[in-house]
Amino acid sequence: MSGQKPSLKSGGSSQSRFQVAVVTEASSTSPAPAPTPAPAPAPAEESKGRSRSVGFLDSGALGSAMDIGLPPDVSHEPDTTKSDSVSLHSTGTGHTHISDSHSNTYYMRTFGHNTIDAVPNIEFYRQTAAPFGEKLTRPSLSELHDELDKELFDDGLANGEEPSAAEEAAALAAKESKGGTIKFGWVKGVLIRCMLNIWGVMLFIRMSWIVGQSGIGLTIAIILMATLVTTITGLSTSAIATNGFVRGGGAYYLISRSLGPEFGGSIGLIFAFANAVAVAMYVVGFAETVVEMLNDVDALMTDELNDIRIVGTLTVILLLGISVAGMEWEAKAQIVLLVILLGAIVNYFIGSFMPTESKEPKGFFGYNTAIFLENLGPDFRDEETFFSVFAIFFPAATGILAGANISGDLTDPQSAIPKGTLLAILITGVTYVAIAISAGSCIVRDATGDHNDTVTDTVNCTDAACTLGYDFSICKEGGCQYGLMNDFQVMSLVSAFGPLITAGIFSATLSSALASLVSAPKVFQALCKDNIYPGLSMFAKGYGKNNEPLRGYVLTFCIGLAFILIAELNIIAPIISNFFLASYALINFSVFHASMANSPGWRPSFKYYNMWVSLAGAILCCVVMFVINWWAALVTLLIVLALYIYVSYKKPDVNWGSSTQALIYNQALTHCLNLTGVEDHVKNFRPQCLVMAGYPSARPALLQLVHSFTKNVGLMVCGHIKTVSRRPNLKELSQDHARCQRWLNKKRIKAFYTPVFSDNLRHGAQFLLQAVGLGRLKPNTLVMGFKNNWSDGDMRDVEIYINTLHDAFDLQFGVVILRLQEGLDISHIQGQDEPLSSLEKPPLGSKEVVISVSLAKDSDSDSCPSKTTSNQSSPLIMKEGGKEESKTKSPLSLTDQRLLESSQQFKKKQGKGTIDVWWLFDDGGLTLLIPYLLTNSSKWGDCRIRVFIGGKINRIDHDRRAMATLLSRFRIDFSDINVLGDINTKPKKHNKLTFKELIEPYRLKEDDMEQEAAERLKAHEPWRITDNELELYKAKTNRQIRLNELLKEHSSTAKLIVMSMPLARKGTVSSALYMCWLDTLSKDLPPLLLVRGNHQSVLTFYS
């Protein structure tokens, strides 16, 4: 077959992302005829009917395959047919599949055999919005694991969502437009920018003054302290930058992806603002120098202040033009400025070795030991101190994030940021130290500038200048204009060519201004893209091949221009320095926090960092903030705090896997483990409820009421038992879990959703009762809804329901049952069914059609679904691609309207009223604790507790005082105590007749049949009520009827009734009789909670 190669037959369009194309053989020696369909080779069982492969015709196509990370051993030879020729299939969504065109298997053949399993590939780990190439999708677990005849799920995309047609078009357009993107290496992109930003105007006009004040020794200490802070921050920046791919946004991106949107959003905004105002600071510094030169030659346009404004405005317009022209022009401008700056520095050092007699009266004598020793120690004047001088110098050391701020424009940010930033800190630190030593060794502190001030009195003259023939002792009285302490332009005096120092000052100010003018919009654009502050999203738009933030440039220009026109930056300057320091502090803290969280995702390739050093760096930054200016530090902290609170309140919908999440998990796990070693104590008891709610939105009243007494107090788990008669769809279960949990979070209900598959309610409840929970965070109370329509349904469901209660008591759980007369389940009402209909949006281009399914007249048949999956009154969600289909809502019946209103009653504030507690039997105190917790919540805070207890007529006062004493000992407020002396009075005759009619269909009537037939019927229908049972529990039956009469008499106006639930002995009382008791006791009443604790004390009056 040598000399032949496969040719391509393109397949038709298909809905599936798995596509198969037929490969034919064609001779390479003759023109290839039009490809015709041919039988494909028989695929292996694993790939049968599952894939469609697309081959390439030329090596150029394969070259693109190599570019995106295929294994190096895959080759393509055009003259020979290879059994493992590799091809790519692009879906047009930014996702590409690799396929084996010869064997019709999906992806490439793995290890030489037919399988759709893929080998490890870097492209599988790219995010959907990957900036390079297309994202490849590995085969999903379903594709590898599901049965061959099963419909495949398209779940290969990030977040389980398919991109829309608009997103696809945008992605393709973006990819095409980025063909000529300019990217910088570590020298041009980071090193040069950082050096230019750190070498500010301070180098030329303040360094000599700092040496004069602090002396050489303390100046070096100041430089080393500042360098220590920036070096630690540089190491921390390097660690974060090498812990995964870095996009644009600089300090904001690093902090937000490490500590989360709250810290990132607050710092990002002030960091962008600080850079914008820094443009004004540097431009005003440049303008002041220009105006001084104009003043020297009497060429001022108006006055000094307005000239600064005019020059500053013209300068910032020029810089804006350079920036808008693109990053390439800006980079070229930076190189020109660097050359000038380096020339100025070299010019100074050359000049320091060339002393002339004309410069000696002004204090420059060349290198001299006497001058060095005299300038070694400090000589603070004008109330300056070490820290005040340090505060003046420190802004000169900032600027280390200039390279990181354009991280999106770097070829390899992970490599460039560490190398460029740390080398820039080293070079600039050495330069500052060298200039400090040089200036301190060849220039005296004070000089008159007068040639006639030579030594006349050798006795009183002791300065270093005296040994060199000059007497500047008159300067001690003040008034001298030359020397380190008096002349800010002394470096121009020392240099070989003075005007070059002026050019250096221009270069330093303009390069810093340009770097800030570029940094601010880039950081701001990244912040706006993340939509942390919704009102600023318009600034996220980028233009051109480099995605330039032109709107951000205009905003930065406006902010800068506003501060230039103020022209008084002495007040704002310390705040800007503190803004930068706050960013440095949080970068250092990010590294400490990520290391402390011990997340497996924290794996920086840069290893030269230490969590404790980073923490020390963060503390140092905060200390320096207060050293520079205490009030500016307080203002900075208040602004950061205000923005942090705002972002926390808004809760942006982002998930970046921050170290905050990792630390919360770590702490939760540690505390859970610690709790397991502590025995439960009655003082710490809290109701931890397993609520059988089905879909969370199906029974909102049940959830809202339980949430009222568990919020911030105890655990709440929404159990959902999905009853199935066929094999369960476990994938659907996991999808429902995620969506229902999101619904709970959206409704701000602090609960966990836990679904299980089971053949009936009882078995599912057993699973949940035994398995739900973690250590001490385990439910101790089962909460269910009352079966309102139990008499209309299958009595086997009643048997299951009652046995579920027995199982809970067997497992030492407390039990709570809520009854509303209208019912609880609203899932059959259209639009109220599943928690997903309003929350989950279908992909663009498709419509969701919600079809309500309700097979029962009153679907409040159970607190959880007890039929098959289709009987759960949940909607079927069918996605119709592009079809405009919708079902108009039918008007609600009066019954449904009442049910809907009733389901929302616990959502609102209850107002003034009573919670009536019928504490008839001592169950350990749960019947009393739940109402107390309810009154502690804001919704029930206005309600008062009324307590009802049973007693004897001749002991009513005694029983009331005893209960009042007990309640006061428990420190539970109550408004009234009622002792029911007539609790054992016989019920009314018509109520007894009603009860008799209620139980009639469920009686066994064993006296009317053969004993053997009766036993057989009882065995087959265990819920049947025997005559013996009725007689045995006649008194208890009458008590339930009587209690209902008393409830109607005393508590018909209560907001809520909480009552001791009657117990039925297991195996003795049939489920039908027990259900009749519960129904009779609770019918025609306000909302009623039947409560029975596990008879372990949950209240105590001991401290």
Side-chain angles (χ1 to χ4, degrees):
M1 301 290 287
S2 179
Q4 295 179 345
K5 61 180 180 179
S7 64
L8 176 67
K9 167 67 178 174
S10 63
S13 63
S14 170
Q15 294 296 323
S16 172
R17 72 184 177 104
F18 303 99
Q19 303 176 0
V20 178
V22 182
V23 177
T24 59
E25 300 290 336
S27 171
S28 62
T29 56
S30 60
T36 56
E45 179 190 359
E46 204 173 346
S47 59
K48 184 177 180 182
R50 298 170 67 87
S51 60
R52 163 179 171 171
S53 63
V54 180
F56 286 108
L57 292 175
D58 56 59
S59 57
L62 194 70
S64 66
M66 296 299 185
D67 292 342
I68 59 168
L70 293 182
D73 58 333
V74 176
S75 60
H76 177 73
E77 296 179 22
D79 296 330
T80 58
T81 300
K82 306 284 276 187
S83 62
D84 57 354
S85 76
V86 176
S87 63
L88 297 176
H89 164 225
S90 175
T91 62
T93 63
H95 298 258
T96 306
H97 304 310
I98 307 176
S99 50
D100 181 341
S101 58
H102 188 71
S103 58
N104 269 5
T105 54
Y106 195 55
Y107 299 95
M108 67 190 112
R109 290 198 333 188
T110 308
F111 310 130
H113 74 274
N114 241 6
T115 177
I116 66 170
D117 227 344
V119 294
N121 190 324
I122 189 174
E123 304 300 332
F124 298 149
Y125 295 90
R126 293 203 191 283
Q127 293 179 5
T128 312
F132 305 118
E134 290 185 296
K135 173 181 167 59
L136 302 187
T137 310
R138 71 174 64 80
S140 71
L141 190 60
S142 303
E143 294 160 17
L144 295 171
H145 178 258
D146 286 357
E147 295 175 11
L148 287 174
D149 59 349
K150 218 174 166 185
E151 185 179 349
L152 295 170
F153 288 84
D154 292 343
D155 51 271
L157 292 182
N159 301 324
E161 295 177 359
E162 295 285 345
S164 65
E167 289 170 334
E168 290 177 21
L172 287 172
K175 188 184 171 188
E176 287 169 9
S177 69
K178 286 185 180 178
T181 304
I182 304 299
K183 297 288 182 182
F184 302 116
W186 72 274
V187 174
K188 202 173 178 181
V190 182
L191 180 65
I192 290 176
R193 281 172 197 282
C194 288
M195 284 167 57
L196 282 170
N197 234 22
I198 297 170
W199 278 332
V201 70
M202 196 73 68
L203 183 69
F204 297 105
I205 61 175
R206 284 292 184 276
M207 202 65 221
S208 56
W209 177 84
I210 290 169
V211 173
Q213 289 280 358
S214 304
I216 296 170
L218 289 184
T219 300
I220 293 173
I222 287 171
I223 295 168
L224 292 179
M225 277 178 61
T227 306
L228 178 65
V229 173
T230 55
T231 302
I232 293 173
T233 308
L235 293 172
S236 299
T237 306
S238 302
I240 300 174
T242 58
N243 188 52
F245 184 78
V246 177
R247 287 202 175 90
Y252 160 71
Y253 186 89
L254 298 178
I255 294 170
S256 63
R257 269 38 175 198
S258 296
L259 289 178
E262 294 85 6
F263 277 117
S266 54
I267 280 295
L269 200 60
I270 68 166
F271 189 74
F273 178 75
N275 273 291
V277 179
V279 173
M281 285 176 56
Y282 296 127
V283 168
V284 167
F286 167 77
E288 282 179 351
T289 309
V290 172
V291 170
E292 276 182 23
M293 292 173 64
L294 293 174
N295 194 25
D296 289 343
V297 294
D298 292 328
L300 288 178
M301 290 173 276
T302 54
D303 56 80
E304 282 194 19
L305 188 62
N306 284 321
D307 277 17
I308 289 172
R309 288 169 177 160
I310 293 167
V311 173
T313 303
L314 294 173
T315 306
V316 80
I317 291 171
L318 175 66
L319 294 177
L320 178 68
I322 294 171
S323 301
V324 170
M327 290 295 291
E328 195 173 6
W329 281 96
E330 188 265 349
K332 288 175 181 175
Q334 293 281 29
I335 291 173
V336 172
L337 294 172
L338 178 68
V339 170
I340 296 170
L341 194 57
L342 288 172
I345 293 171
V346 171
N347 175 44
Y348 163 77
F349 280 109
I350 291 172
S352 69
F353 289 99
M354 299 165 56
T356 60
E357 283 189 21
S358 62
K359 296 179 181 179
E360 286 180 356
K362 295 181 179 180
F364 172 51
F365 294 93
Y367 292 100
N368 187 282
T369 308
I371 296 175
F372 174 80
L373 293 174
E374 182 179 83
N375 290 340
L376 194 59
D379 182 16
F380 293 113
R381 302 180 192 174
D382 301 325
E383 298 182 356
E384 296 290 351
T385 63
F386 174 81
F387 288 110
S388 68
V389 173
F390 175 80
I392 290 169
F393 171 78
F394 187 81
T398 59
I400 59 170
L401 295 180
N405 286 339
I406 62 156
S407 51
D409 296 300
L410 300 176
T411 306
D412 182 9
Q414 288 182 283
S415 168
I417 291 173
K419 282 196 292 189
T421 304
L422 294 173
L423 189 56
I425 291 170
L426 177 65
I427 292 171
T428 53
V430 168
T431 307
Y432 276 126
V433 170
I435 288 178
I437 294 172
S438 170
S441 302
C442 61
I443 309 167
V444 295
R445 279 194 168 100
D446 299 290
T448 58
D450 189 347
H451 284 274
N452 298 321
D453 286 335
T454 53
V455 177
T456 55
D457 184 359
T458 55
V459 177
N460 295 323
C461 185
T462 56
D463 294 338
C466 298
T467 60
L468 298 168
Y470 282 86
D471 183 5
F472 297 139
S473 54
I474 193 173
C475 290
K476 291 175 182 176
E477 300 170 9
C480 291
Q481 294 182 351
Y482 297 97
L484 292 174
M485 300 291 281
N486 309 305
D487 186 7
F488 289 154
Q489 302 291 338
V490 73
M491 286 186 70
S492 297
L493 172 72
V494 174
S495 63
F497 182 61
L500 195 53
I501 296 295
T502 305
I505 294 171
F506 289 174
S507 172
T509 50
L510 291 178
S511 63
S512 297
L514 194 55
S516 297
L517 186 57
V518 169
S519 296
K522 295 281 184 183
V523 172
F524 196 58
Q525 182 186 34
L527 178 70
C528 296
K529 271 184 179 177
D530 289 334
N531 205 25
I532 303 295
Y533 302 100
L536 303 177
S537 55
M538 63 176 289
F539 293 102
K541 183 173 174 58
Y543 296 86
K545 60 187 178 183
N546 265 37
N547 198 32
E548 295 289 350
L550 297 186
R551 294 176 181 179
Y553 282 130
V554 173
L555 181 65
T556 305
F557 168 77
C558 293
I559 293 171
L561 187 60
F563 282 98
I564 287 167
L565 295 177
I566 293 170
E568 284 293 332
L569 294 173
N570 290 339
I571 294 175
I572 202 76
I575 297 179
I576 300 307
S577 296
N578 276 320
F579 280 2
F580 285 125
L581 275 167
S583 306
Y584 296 171
L586 276 182
I587 287 175
N588 285 313
F589 184 70
S590 297
V591 172
F592 169 76
H593 201 268
S595 303
M596 180 68 80
N598 201 25
S599 170
W602 175 247
R603 304 184 302 274
S605 55
F606 182 84
K607 302 298 181 186
Y608 305 102
Y609 74 93
N610 180 278
M611 61 184 287
W612 300 110
V613 171
S614 294
L615 179 62
I619 295 169
L620 262 176
C621 288
C622 293
V623 170
V624 171
M625 284 172 68
F626 282 92
V627 165
I628 289 176
N629 191 306
W630 66 268
W631 63 262
L634 287 177
V635 169
T636 303
L637 293 177
L638 285 173
I639 292 173
V640 172
L641 184 64
L643 291 171
Y644 179 91
I645 292 169
Y646 171 80
V647 177
S648 299
Y649 175 75
K650 295 297 285 185
K651 286 188 172 57
D653 186 21
V654 294
N655 182 8
W656 295 321
S658 66
S659 60
T660 306
Q661 294 172 355
L663 195 62
I664 289 170
Y665 174 86
N666 248 15
Q667 290 171 341
L669 186 60
T670 302
H671 293 324
C672 275
L673 290 169
N674 289 343
L675 273 176
T676 58
V678 180
E679 288 297 322
D680 286 329
H681 193 280
V682 62
K683 282 198 294 186
N684 293 323
F685 177 87
R686 51 192 73 212
Q688 305 196 106
C689 298
L690 172 60
V691 186
M692 298 299 194
Y695 280 112
S697 65
R699 295 166 178 82
L702 186 63
L703 283 190
Q704 292 290 349
L705 183 63
V706 176
H707 185 241
S708 293
F709 66 81
T710 59
K711 181 184 178 183
N712 299 328
V713 175
L715 175 71
M716 178 176 169
V717 178
C718 297
H720 185 181
I721 300 162
K722 297 192 170 193
T723 52
V724 288
S725 54
R726 55 184 177 81
R727 191 166 52 176
N729 186 341
L730 296 173
K731 180 174 291 184
E732 178 193 319
L733 190 75
S734 64
Q735 290 170 349
D736 275 357
H737 182 279
R739 286 184 290 215
C740 290
Q741 189 63 57
R742 283 202 299 272
W743 185 88
L744 286 168
N745 295 342
K746 186 186 177 192
K747 298 293 181 183
R748 296 187 178 177
I749 296 174
K750 296 182 178 180
F752 300 95
Y753 173 75
T754 306
V756 292
F757 276 120
S758 180
D759 56 347
N760 63 41
L761 172 74
R762 184 183 183 186
H763 292 156
Q766 286 174 347
F767 299 155
L768 292 170
L769 289 166
Q770 293 175 82
V772 166
L774 194 66
R776 296 282 179 215
L777 294 179
K778 186 177 175 64
N780 53 28
T781 306
L782 176 68
V783 183
M784 301 177 75
F786 184 76
K787 281 180 74 71
N788 265 17
N789 68 338
W790 65 273
S791 57
D792 300 334
D794 190 339
M795 286 304 293
R796 282 175 295 188
D797 289 341
V798 175
E799 180 77 10
I800 288 171
Y801 181 83
I802 297 301
N803 282 331
T804 301
L805 301 182
H806 289 313
D807 292 338
F809 289 128
D810 287 343
L811 290 166
Q812 294 296 297
F813 272 64
V815 172
V816 176
I817 295 176
L818 173 64
R819 180 168 190 181
L820 302 183
Q821 295 312 309
E822 297 82 0
L824 288 168
D825 191 355
I826 62 168
S827 60
H828 63 287
I829 300 175
Q830 189 176 1
Q832 303 293 327
D833 12 49
E834 202 173 349
L836 323 175
S837 54
S838 61
L839 179 66
E840 300 291 324
K841 293 181 181 176
L844 293 173
S846 72
K847 283 282 271 192
E848 265 192 6
V849 184
V850 180
I851 304 170
S852 295
V853 178
S854 180
L855 304 183
K857 184 178 180 183
D858 180 2
S859 58
D860 193 21
S861 59
D862 208 330
S863 140
C864 280
S866 58
K867 305 280 191 297
T868 61
T869 309
S870 62
N871 242 2
Q872 293 171 6
S873 303
S874 60
L876 305 176
I877 294 183
M878 306 196 325
K879 291 180 182 174
E880 301 288 336
K883 294 182 182 177
E884 293 293 328
E885 276 188 42
S886 62
K887 187 174 181 179
T888 56
K889 290 186 179 180
S890 56
L892 294 177
S893 66
L894 190 60
T895 307
D896 282 347
Q897 283 180 9
R898 286 177 184 163
L899 174 59
L900 207 52
E901 288 170 12
S902 170
S903 71
Q904 303 299 319
Q905 64 180 304
F906 299 133
K907 203 172 182 181
K908 57 193 178 191
K909 192 171 177 65
Q910 296 302 306
K912 291 187 176 179
T914 62
I915 298 176
D916 288 359
V917 182
W918 290 63
W919 195 15
L920 304 178
F921 309 104
D922 195 334
D923 59 351
L926 186 63
T927 309
L928 190 60
L929 180 62
I930 287 176
Y932 166 74
L933 293 174
L934 277 173
T935 56
N936 277 353
S937 69
S938 57
K939 289 177 184 172
W940 295 84
D942 294 336
C943 293
R944 307 297 296 165
I945 293 175
R946 288 197 304 175
V947 179
F948 294 82
I949 59 171
K952 296 179 181 177
I953 293 178
N954 58 351
R955 287 171 55 92
I956 286 179
D957 288 339
H958 176 271
D959 291 343
R960 183 183 288 113
R961 283 196 301 272
M963 179 53 64
T965 302
L966 182 60
L967 292 176
S968 63
R969 289 250 185 125
F970 284 149
R971 304 170 303 284
I972 292 176
D973 293 330
F974 59 91
S975 62
D976 194 13
I977 296 174
N978 293 280
V979 181
L980 304 168
D982 52 352
I983 199 167
N984 289 321
T985 305
K986 286 187 178 180
K988 294 172 183 174
K989 190 172 286 186
H990 70 90
N991 288 330
K992 290 174 72 174
L993 284 172
T994 305
F995 182 83
K996 190 174 181 182
E997 290 171 7
L998 179 64
I999 65 171
E1000 189 63 30
Y1002 313 114
R1003 292 182 59 183
L1004 181 63
K1005 299 178 182 176
E1006 65 267 31
D1007 293 342
D1008 298 343
M1009 63 179 74
E1010 296 284 337
Q1011 184 179 350
E1012 188 179 335
E1015 289 175 357
R1016 196 163 50 247
L1017 182 60
K1018 179 68 174 173
H1020 187 252
E1021 297 179 351
W1023 41 266
R1024 291 278 179 186
I1025 307 169
T1026 65
D1027 294 339
N1028 182 46
E1029 182 184 355
L1030 269 180
E1031 188 60 34
L1032 184 63
Y1033 290 105
K1034 186 176 181 181
K1036 194 163 187 177
T1037 298
N1038 288 338
R1039 190 188 308 138
Q1040 311 313 317
I1041 302 170
R1042 176 62 184 153
L1043 281 172
N1044 181 257
E1045 293 172 359
L1046 290 170
L1047 282 162
K1048 288 176 181 174
E1049 181 185 339
H1050 295 285
S1051 297
S1052 57
T1053 59
K1055 294 281 186 181
L1056 178 70
I1057 302 171
V1058 182
M1059 186 173 196
S1060 296
M1061 186 170 78
L1063 273 182
R1065 191 171 295 280
K1066 188 170 61 172
T1068 308
V1069 179
S1070 62
S1071 55
L1073 181 58
Y1074 191 23
M1075 200 70 208
C1076 289
W1077 286 351
L1078 297 178
D1079 192 9
T1080 301
L1081 176 66
S1082 58
K1083 71 179 178 182
D1084 301 329
L1085 290 168
L1088 177 81
L1089 270 184
L1090 292 171
V1091 180
R1092 175 66 71 154
N1094 64 358
H1095 288 247
Q1096 300 291 320
S1097 294
V1098 300
L1099 294 170
T1100 181
F1101 44 76
Y1102 294 109
S1103 60

